[in-house]
Amino acid sequence: MDLNWPRKNEQLFKTETDFENNACLMSSSFAQYGEHYKEAADALITSAINRNIYVDRAVYPAVFMYRQYLELTLKDIIWRTRRIEHDGQGFPKIHSLDCLWSEAKRLLQQHYGAECPKEVEYVGQCIAEFHTYDPNSTAFRYPYDARSGSILAGLARINVRHLMETMGRIGNFLSCIASDIAERLDWCAEMERDMASECRP
C-alpha cells in the first residue's frame, strides 16, 4: 500500500492558490466564535445523517463543539450584561456550564425584570442536563477521566438528529438574547459618549 506520509519541510498554516479554501481569521466576539462551533457541529451531524460519516464517530466532536458554543455564548452574555448593569467585570474563567448559566440567568433576570423571556427556564433545563454528563468540558474530549474513570456512564445513545434540532432552538434563543444585549450595550456606550461630550467645557 502506498501511504501518503509527511514530506520534507511540511507546513500546516499557509495560503494557497485555491483561494476559495483560504479561511480568513477575523476578529470575533465570544458569541460569534461560538456560532462557528455550532455551525461546524451542525455540518458534522448533517454529514452523519446523510451517511457520509459514521454517526458513532461524529457524535463526540459534535457534542463537544455544541458545548463549546454554549460556553462561549454564555460568557459573551455575562460580560456584556455585567457592563450594562454595572455588576462586575469580565466573565467567570471556568468551564462549568452550570455556574455560567447560573450567572447568566441571574443577570438576564436582573436586566429584563418582569419582561425576562420564559424560555430562559427551558434553556436552563437543557444546560443542566448537559452539565450532568459533562461538568468540566472533558466528557466528549477524552475516553475516561483520571479521577472518576468512565465519564459517560449511564449515557449509552444520543440521537444526533434530535440533538441538532434541540440545539437549533436553543441557538435561536441565545442568539437573539446575545444580539439584543450587544445592541443595548452599544446604545449605553453611545449615550455615555454623548453625555461626556455635553459635559465638556
Side-chain angles (χ1 to χ4, degrees):
M1 181 184 296
D2 184 19
L3 297 177
N4 188 10
W5 283 20
R7 296 170 290 189
K8 185 178 180 180
N9 299 322
E10 199 77 88
Q11 185 178 349
L12 290 173
F13 305 115
K14 60 184 295 187
T15 58
E16 291 283 4
T17 55
D18 53 337
F19 64 90
E20 67 276 8
N21 292 319
N22 290 331
C24 297
L25 305 182
M26 299 175 289
S27 177
S28 301
S29 68
F30 269 46
Q32 290 168 331
Y33 230 77
E35 285 291 336
H36 301 332
Y37 280 99
K38 183 182 178 298
E39 288 176 14
D42 288 346
L44 186 56
I45 287 181
T46 299
S47 182
I49 290 173
N50 293 332
R51 300 301 181 256
N52 295 319
I53 183 175
Y54 288 119
V55 67
D56 294 348
R57 294 180 180 177
V59 64
Y60 293 102
V63 176
F64 168 72
M65 286 188 286
Y66 280 138
R67 193 195 188 287
Q68 185 73 352
Y69 156 73
L70 288 172
E71 180 178 329
L72 292 172
T73 303
L74 292 178
K75 287 180 176 179
D76 187 90
I77 290 172
I78 288 170
W79 83 263
R80 290 182 193 273
T81 311
R82 279 180 171 179
R83 286 187 62 189
I84 294 173
E85 294 294 308
H86 303 288
D87 187 350
Q89 295 180 343
F91 53 84
K93 308 300 191 295
I94 55 175
H95 297 295
S96 168
L97 289 181
D98 191 44
C99 293
L100 290 171
W101 175 247
S102 178
E103 177 65 358
K105 178 182 176 181
R106 180 188 73 80
L107 289 164
L108 291 176
Q109 290 175 333
Q110 176 179 313
H111 180 69
Y112 288 111
E115 296 179 357
C116 190
K118 64 182 183 299
E119 287 80 7
V120 164
E121 297 298 333
Y122 310 156
V123 171
Q125 296 168 2
C126 292
I127 289 179
E129 181 184 11
F130 218 137
H131 180 80
T132 296
Y133 293 109
D134 193 4
N136 302 309
S137 188
T138 57
F140 293 91
R141 289 195 291 156
Y142 305 109
Y144 63 88
D145 182 81
R147 289 175 296 179
S148 59
S150 178
I151 297 175
L152 294 174
L155 185 63
R157 290 179 175 82
I158 298 173
N159 185 289
V160 294
R161 175 198 50 77
H162 172 80
L163 172 66
M164 181 174 67
E165 292 173 354
T166 304
M167 285 301 303
R169 291 187 291 272
I170 292 172
N172 290 339
F173 176 74
L174 290 180
S175 178
C176 287
I177 291 293
S179 295
D180 183 57
I181 292 296
E183 289 178 9
R184 290 175 182 232
L185 180 58
D186 289 343
W187 181 84
C188 289
E190 185 176 343
M191 290 292 293
E192 289 178 0
R193 286 193 297 268
D194 290 345
M195 291 177 64
S197 65
E198 290 177 2
C199 292
R200 292 194 189 104

